[in-house]
Amino acid sequence: MTDTTLIIADNQPLTALALRTWAEKNELAGSIIESPDQQSLEDSLRELSDENVLLIIDVELFDFSGKDELIAFFQTHDQLRKLFIGDHFNEEELFFIAEEMQSNIVLKRVDLEELRIAVSFTLKGRYYIQSELLNLLMRKNAAPVKPENEEVHLTPTEKDIVSLIASGKTTKEVAVIRSLSYHTVVTHRKNIFRKLGVSSIHALTIYAIKSGLIDTTEYYI
């Protein structure tokens, strides 16, 4: 049992009940709150510290007026650990959630063991996208990260850091594994993002898969 408060933000009672029952059985949180709409979610968050909250949310079933309101909400609550769920996502929705919202994503029909891994990664601040959805993202990002005539030169250390980040390791974990200072890893990350022309972990992960730096069979998605 953890001190984390799990908020299930979904206005489908059966889905919320199923998630609550599953979370209680697996002792994923110290307490569980169901929020069927934005106002109840805001009310709950006023009583809690964002960094102690795990939010599982289906935004399609919520009453956000659009992308701008959704972005503004999560900018206000930028310490929330969040996992987006949904019955389906088209490429545009998936790209928005993964790239702009920098959020973890699974489908509601995900296997329960995979859902447990997704929640575990989210709690640890790691990135997680279900493999079925990652394939959609890769098609969306079919073009090279850099123009074909512009070769990307990553050092062996940078390649290693890319593979670690793409496999779900946090900056602190990379620092420990590589015996580097936290600030050194941050500097490497900035250089890697600049060289590759990417701005998110999800885009970096797609690059790592295409470049063979990680094996998708070993990537927990």
Side-chain angles (χ1 to χ4, degrees):
M1 186 71 71
T2 72
D3 294 330
T4 300
T5 296
L6 170 62
I7 298 181
I8 301 170
D10 192 314
N11 68 8
Q12 289 186 330
L14 289 179
T15 300
L17 176 61
L19 284 171
R20 172 187 278 275
T21 302
W22 173 78
E24 289 175 341
K25 180 180 179 179
N26 289 274
E27 299 185 336
L28 295 179
S31 59
I32 301 175
I33 299 172
E34 295 179 29
S35 295
D37 54 47
Q38 184 182 351
Q39 185 58 57
S40 64
L41 177 58
E42 291 278 18
D43 291 343
S44 296
L45 290 174
R46 269 194 290 272
E47 305 297 324
L48 299 166
S49 177
D50 284 357
E51 59 266 25
N52 293 329
V53 172
L54 168 62
L55 176 65
I56 299 180
I57 182 170
D58 183 343
V59 294
E60 286 189 340
L61 299 178
F62 252 50
D63 50 354
F64 289 106
S65 61
K67 291 182 179 179
D68 290 342
E69 186 175 9
L70 187 62
I71 290 172
F73 172 82
F74 282 109
Q75 284 177 339
T76 301
H77 301 283
D78 61 347
Q79 297 300 309
L80 284 176
R81 289 165 292 180
K82 53 191 181 293
L83 175 64
F84 280 66
I85 61 173
D87 292 316
H88 57 81
F89 298 97
N90 60 38
E91 287 187 357
E92 181 181 353
E93 293 167 339
L94 184 59
F95 187 81
F96 170 73
I97 294 172
E99 297 292 331
E100 295 189 48
M101 299 300 300
Q102 300 282 289
S103 298
N104 296 356
I105 321 169
V106 296
L107 293 166
K108 288 185 176 180
R109 63 176 180 272
V110 66
D111 177 85
L112 289 180
E113 175 59 22
E114 190 171 5
L115 178 59
R116 185 192 64 77
I117 295 172
V119 168
S120 175
F121 268 49
T122 306
L123 281 170
K124 294 176 182 177
R126 295 184 178 183
Y127 293 91
Y128 190 100
I129 302 180
Q130 189 177 344
S131 55
E132 182 178 339
L133 300 175
L134 181 64
N135 290 334
L136 279 175
L137 266 181
M138 290 183 69
R139 286 201 294 270
K140 180 75 173 178
N141 291 275
V145 177
K146 286 282 190 176
E148 291 184 4
N149 61 351
E150 186 176 346
E151 191 173 355
V152 176
H153 295 284
L154 295 181
T155 67
T157 296
E158 289 172 340
K159 289 180 180 179
D160 189 31
I161 290 175
V162 167
S163 66
L164 289 170
I165 293 174
S167 63
K169 297 295 187 292
T170 64
T171 301
K172 289 182 179 179
E173 289 172 329
V174 173
V176 172
I177 293 169
R178 290 287 304 175
S179 298
L180 298 170
S181 74
Y182 177 86
H183 295 295
T184 298
V185 176
V186 169
T187 299
H188 279 303
R189 280 180 52 132
K190 289 179 180 178
N191 290 336
I192 290 166
F193 275 49
R194 175 181 53 78
K195 286 183 178 182
L196 298 180
V198 299
S199 59
S200 72
I201 298 297
H202 296 305
L204 183 71
T205 299
I206 291 170
Y207 168 82
I209 292 173
K210 289 181 177 180
S211 302
L213 296 178
I214 60 172
D215 184 347
T216 53
T217 61
E218 299 176 356
Y219 184 48
Y220 291 99
I221 51 179

